[in-house]
């Protein structure tokens, strides 16, 4: 099993390394010359991730962690049933997550489908909350490249501050790394000044080695953030995947000095999960990454649980889920 | 035959259909009538209360959504399963707390089983007795229907260990409520054996959750929990009951306690359809009927 894995990985690792070497010799890639991609120790990774999730957090730190979790949250709605009214309501929540308590900080961004960007941009015009949108043939990333790039450019023009695209897994998994790389680089160009987040959809990549390679590829290609999942498939962010990507970001920063952000999304529903991820990121990347500029939690139902735990800390009573917003 | 090693049962809490130790990892010794150690029981914590309430909450809609007939069948099934373990229950009751003769314990066990049967029969009848069509002037039907309040937090009396627990629990769940029960602090073991029969009787996971531990520690978080809709404080002393009632008032939780007549556990006065009503909310609807 181990032998199989290694013999399968070596040529792939070689190819990615070659790719990085080729690309890095051309222009913008100077800064990333010599990036190494080492194999991942899957057992050690999972063990360390599990260990970090057992960290006990005391009450005062808990309060700070809950506020931080809100400040780094990308409040997301990506459903076919999204209406302008629904997005308006979401934007109101984004500015003041708890209508009864304005001491709760605003979230980092609201993440919506392209069509609804103008609505969100209008609602959030005079607020610190950014507008993020998914683009590039979300969630599969298999629309024609021209269409995807046009979609990105349109959204940026419509007021999106951040763009979430998906890695072309079809190209990546079949070994066409150059194609996957070129598409991200082209998307970065289409983004202009907007931040580019690249979704790896880790649940479809198959192994931690592949996740690490995809992370490196996306970062070298120009991603400002790398993101775990679309939230549209069963398997999404897990502690081990978060740790794997955080380590890739750390290695990238150590080797090139470039700080790339991390966004975790999909399946994060409870405040407890949120602060486990804060611990993983804090321990791996340092407190410099615990800011909305470098770390995000993409979620839709997480905010309710965080508000509920916050109320519990302030009030001392266990709260009732029904007392918090439905959406 | 060689001497066997003793195989003792670990009495664990019953939360969401599973038998679990406390999140806190603690336990406390339970003494029998002669002061001898019967077993170590789980010493639950406020986080166990939180987990149990969450389990009760998520089970409630499904339990209330079943037909009354089905709930009645399930309560009768509890009686059936207890009946097949009568000897075990009687032996446990006899050595719990101050202890009693085996005959007295067998009597208590039989009364507890009969109580399940009694309330099982009420399952599809109480709404007719407690609700019904109200006479109104005008071309309307006016119907009142008792509906379960939701999650009920219960503090079981200390002694006797079995019959009071069943007498208070059966009327709570028969209407579609779910329960978080704090078992007798002094005699918690029989309650856990009861939980084993509930687990085998098609009672869905989370409908009854039984915690063991110290009242002073567990009652305040249970009484203050916003998701608890009603409290039965029958097992609390005056001071603890007053404190719990204050906590309950802050979250508008209904507080119930057994009357003196209801505390005659072996008597018929301990069972009544009005006890089912105590944990119900009456919904009244108007419906046009024409002339």
């Amino acid at each position: 099993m181990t032998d199989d894995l290694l013999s399968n990985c070596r040529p792939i690792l070689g190819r990615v390394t070659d790719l990085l070497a080729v690309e890095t010799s051309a222009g913008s890639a100077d800064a990333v010359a010599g990036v190494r991609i080492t194999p991942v120790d899957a057992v050690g990774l999972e063990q360390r991730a599990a260990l970090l999730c057992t960290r006990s957090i005391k009450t005062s730190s808990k309060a700070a962690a809950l506020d931080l979790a809100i400040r780094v949250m990308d409040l997301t709605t990506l459903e076919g049933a999204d209406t302008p009214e629904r997005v308006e309501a979401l934007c109101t929540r984004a500015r003041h997550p708890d209508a009864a308590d304005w001491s709760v900080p605003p979230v980092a961004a609201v993440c919506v489908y392209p069509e609804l960007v103008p609505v969100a941009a209008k609602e959030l015009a005079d607020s610190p909350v950014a507008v993020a949108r998914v683009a590039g043939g979300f969630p599969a990333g298999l629309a024609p490249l021209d269409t995807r790039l046009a979609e990105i450019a349109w959204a940026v023009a419509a007021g999106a501050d951040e763009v979430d695209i998906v890695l072309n897994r079809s190209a990546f998994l079949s070994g066409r790394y150059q194609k996957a790389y070129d598409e991200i680089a082209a998307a970065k160009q289409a983004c202009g000044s907007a931040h580019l987040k690249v979704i790896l959809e880790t649940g479809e990549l198959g192994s931690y080695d592949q996740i690490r390679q995809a992370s490196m590829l996306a970062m070298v290609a120009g991603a400002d953030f790398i993101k775990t999942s679309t939230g549209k498939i069963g398997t999404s962010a897990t502690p081990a995947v978060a740790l794997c990507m955080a380590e890739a970001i750390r290695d990238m920063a150590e080797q090139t000095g470039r700080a790339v952000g991390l966004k975790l999304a999909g399946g994060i529903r409870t405040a407890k999960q949120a602060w486990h991820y804060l611990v993983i990121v804090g321990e791996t990347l340092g407190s410099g990454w615990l800011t909305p500029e470098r770390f995000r939690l993409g979620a839709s139902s997480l905010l309710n649980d965080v508000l509920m735990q916050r109320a519990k800390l302030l009030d001392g009573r266990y709260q009732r889920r029904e007392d918090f917003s439905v959406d | 035959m060689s001497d066997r090693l003793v195989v003792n049962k670990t009495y664990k809490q019953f939360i969401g259909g599973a038998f679990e130790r406390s999140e806190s990892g603690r336990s406390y010794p339970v003494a029998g009538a002669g002061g001898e150690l019967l077993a170590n029981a789980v010493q639950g914590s406020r986080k166990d209360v939180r987990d149990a309430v969450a389990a009760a909450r998520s089970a409630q809609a499904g339990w209330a959504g079943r037909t009354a007939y089905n709930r009645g069948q399930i309560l009768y099934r509890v009686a059936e399963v207890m009946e097949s373990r009568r000897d075990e229950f009687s032996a446990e009751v006899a050595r719990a707390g101050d202890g009693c003769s085996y005959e007295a314990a067998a009597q208590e066990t039989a009364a507890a089983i009969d109580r399940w049967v009694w309330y099982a029969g009420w399952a599809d009848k109480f709404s007719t007795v407690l609700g019904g069509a109200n006479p109104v002037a005008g071309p309307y039907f006016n119907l009142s229907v008792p509906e379960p309040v939701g999650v009920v937090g219960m503090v079981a009396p200390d002694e006797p260990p079995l019959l009071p627990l069943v007498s208070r629990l059966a009327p709570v769940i028969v209407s579609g409520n779910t329960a978080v029960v704090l078992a007798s602090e002094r005699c918690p073991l029989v309650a856990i054996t009861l939980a084993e029969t509930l687990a085998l009787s098609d009672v869905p996971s989370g409908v009854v959750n039984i915690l063991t531990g110290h009242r002073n520690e567990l009652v305040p978080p249970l009484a203050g929990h916003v998701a608890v809709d009603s409290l039965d404080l029958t097992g609390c002393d005056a001071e603890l009951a007053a404190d719990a009632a204050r906590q309950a008032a802050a979250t508008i939780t209904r507080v119930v306690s057994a009357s003196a007549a209801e505390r005659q556990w072996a008597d018929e006065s301990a069972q009544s359809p009005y006890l089912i009503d105590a944990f119900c909310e009456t919904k009244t609807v108007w419906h046009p009927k024409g002339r």
Side-chain angles (χ1 to χ4, degrees):
Chain A
M1 168 71 192
T2 320
D3 285 348
D4 270 5
L5 195 69
L6 280 180
S7 59
N8 281 335
C9 281
R10 275 199 192 104
I12 299 172
L13 288 171
R15 287 209 298 276
V16 176
T17 318
D18 288 347
L19 164 75
L20 295 179
V22 170
E23 293 306 326
T24 51
S25 62
S28 73
D30 272 351
V32 290
V35 169
R36 281 175 298 109
I37 305 179
T38 48
V40 180
D41 165 11
V43 173
L45 181 81
E46 286 181 355
Q47 192 186 16
R48 179 159 172 76
L51 180 81
L52 290 174
C53 290
T54 59
R55 180 77 51 91
S56 152
I57 299 176
K58 300 305 169 199
T59 311
S60 55
S61 311
K62 225 179 243 178
L66 290 174
D67 277 3
L68 179 60
I70 296 174
R71 285 196 293 116
V72 301
M73 199 176 297
D74 279 7
L75 204 54
T76 307
T77 180
L78 295 172
E79 283 165 31
D82 288 347
T83 58
E85 290 74 20
R86 199 181 144 110
V87 171
E88 280 168 16
L90 193 75
C91 291
T92 309
R93 282 201 87 197
R95 301 164 73 146
H96 298 292
D98 189 340
D101 179 1
W102 281 31
S103 70
V104 180
V107 304
V110 165
C111 186
V112 294
Y113 269 129
E115 171 108 357
L116 296 156
V117 167
V119 179
K122 180 166 160 274
E123 286 294 312
L124 298 171
D126 56 346
S127 81
V129 183
V131 179
R133 53 148 297 174
V134 293
F138 182 90
L142 291 175
L145 182 60
D146 291 348
T147 324
R148 279 184 268 158
L149 295 178
E151 205 188 338
I152 294 169
W154 182 86
V156 174
D161 310 297
E162 301 168 2
V163 177
D164 291 24
I165 64 161
V166 283
L167 168 75
N168 186 334
R169 274 101 63 202
S170 170
F172 179 82
L173 290 171
S174 58
R176 290 172 287 154
Y177 301 115
Q178 186 72 51
K179 182 174 163 60
Y181 174 95
D182 288 344
E183 288 185 4
I184 296 172
K188 173 66 186 164
Q189 213 161 22
C191 272
S193 61
H195 269 239
L196 178 69
K197 300 184 202 144
V198 178
I199 304 170
L200 307 181
E201 195 65 296
T202 52
E204 290 183 349
L205 292 182
S207 73
Y208 295 119
D209 279 312
Q210 303 259 58
I211 292 171
R212 189 168 165 80
Q213 289 158 24
S215 303
M216 287 297 191
L217 184 135
M219 287 190 284
V220 174
D224 298 303
F225 264 83
I226 52 175
K227 171 174 167 185
T228 54
S229 325
T230 58
K232 296 291 177 199
I233 63 164
T235 325
S236 36
T238 65
V241 164
L243 181 58
C244 180
M245 288 170 68
E247 286 179 343
I249 292 172
R250 181 189 62 196
D251 293 355
M252 182 81 183
E254 274 174 7
Q255 292 176 41
T256 68
R258 185 161 162 254
V260 176
L262 176 63
K263 176 168 170 181
L264 307 172
I268 307 171
R269 294 197 181 84
T270 65
K272 200 173 216 172
Q273 283 175 299
W275 67 59
H276 287 161
Y277 286 124
L278 291 175
V279 169
I280 288 174
V281 170
E283 284 291 328
T284 312
L285 293 165
S287 54
W289 255 264
L290 293 177
T291 68
E293 287 75 40
R294 290 193 188 162
F295 179 59
R296 293 290 174 84
L297 289 167
S300 39
S301 54
L302 171 64
L303 183 57
N304 269 353
D305 195 58
V306 170
L307 291 176
M308 200 163 98
Q309 302 310 327
R310 204 175 178 279
K312 155 77 176 66
L313 278 183
L314 291 175
D315 183 29
R317 296 170 194 284
Y318 287 119
Q319 304 291 309
R320 176 168 58 182
R321 201 162 290 280
E322 292 91 317
D323 290 344
F324 294 82
S325 158
V326 178
D327 252 324
Chain B
M1 192 178 126
S2 61
D3 286 344
R4 286 183 65 234
L5 277 176
V6 182
V7 181
N8 286 322
K9 183 158 86 182
T10 309
Y11 288 86
K12 294 188 278 189
Q13 298 186 120
F14 185 52
I15 301 174
F19 290 91
E20 293 175 353
R21 291 183 171 80
S22 168
E23 145 300 316
S24 65
R26 299 171 307 176
S27 60
Y28 72 103
V30 177
E36 79 284 10
L37 177 72
L38 290 180
N40 285 303
V42 170
Q43 187 188 335
S45 70
R46 66 189 168 83
K47 289 191 180 176
D48 296 325
V49 171
R50 173 198 65 186
D51 293 348
V53 173
R57 194 91 212 161
S58 59
Q60 203 266 323
W63 178 239
R66 293 191 178 224
T67 61
Y69 175 62
N70 185 223
R71 282 198 302 275
Q73 283 178 311
I74 290 174
L75 260 62
Y76 190 81
R77 170 89 183 148
V78 175
E80 288 175 6
V81 175
M82 275 186 79
E83 180 75 24
S84 73
R85 297 173 67 171
R86 255 173 86 170
D87 293 343
E88 183 189 350
F89 272 105
S90 304
E92 279 206 39
V93 169
R95 63 170 182 263
D98 289 335
C100 62
S101 69
Y102 184 85
E103 289 68 34
Q107 248 174 18
E108 184 184 340
T109 305
I113 295 170
D114 293 349
R115 200 133 287 168
W116 282 112
V117 174
W118 197 82
Y119 280 108
W122 273 105
D124 52 2
K125 301 172 189 71
F126 75 90
S127 60
T128 314
V129 174
L130 301 171
N134 306 314
V136 290
Y140 304 102
F141 286 124
N142 181 272
L143 302 169
S144 289
V145 188
E147 293 194 340
V149 288
V151 175
V152 179
M154 299 178 53
V155 186
D158 241 346
E159 285 186 272
L162 182 60
L163 184 55
L165 172 62
V166 170
S167 304
R168 302 305 289 179
L169 179 61
V172 164
I173 63 171
V174 69
S175 63
N177 291 303
T178 53
V180 175
V181 183
L182 304 188
S184 158
E185 183 171 334
R186 183 154 181 234
C187 329
L189 306 183
V190 187
I192 298 304
T193 304
L194 175 67
E196 291 167 7
T197 66
L198 296 173
L200 293 174
S201 308
D202 302 331
V203 178
S205 301
V207 168
V208 179
N209 304 275
I210 301 185
L211 305 176
T212 56
H214 299 321
R215 296 245 165 87
N216 287 334
E217 186 185 354
L218 299 180
V219 170
L222 181 65
H225 200 309
V226 185
V228 170
D229 301 297
S230 183
L231 278 174
D232 181 350
L233 299 177
T234 300
C236 289
D237 60 36
E239 194 185 341
L240 192 56
D243 180 51
R246 267 191 295 277
Q247 293 257 15
T251 54
I252 319 177
T253 301
R254 181 192 299 179
V255 175
V256 177
S257 194
S259 66
E262 284 163 5
R263 285 174 199 264
Q264 302 301 313
W265 302 113
D267 288 358
E268 286 200 350
S269 61
Q271 60 189 27
S272 156
Y274 295 107
L275 256 170
I276 304 175
D277 197 33
F279 300 96
C280 285
E281 201 75 69
T282 300
K283 178 189 273 184
T284 297
V285 290
W286 294 73
H287 191 281
K289 69 170 179 183
R291 300 202 176 274

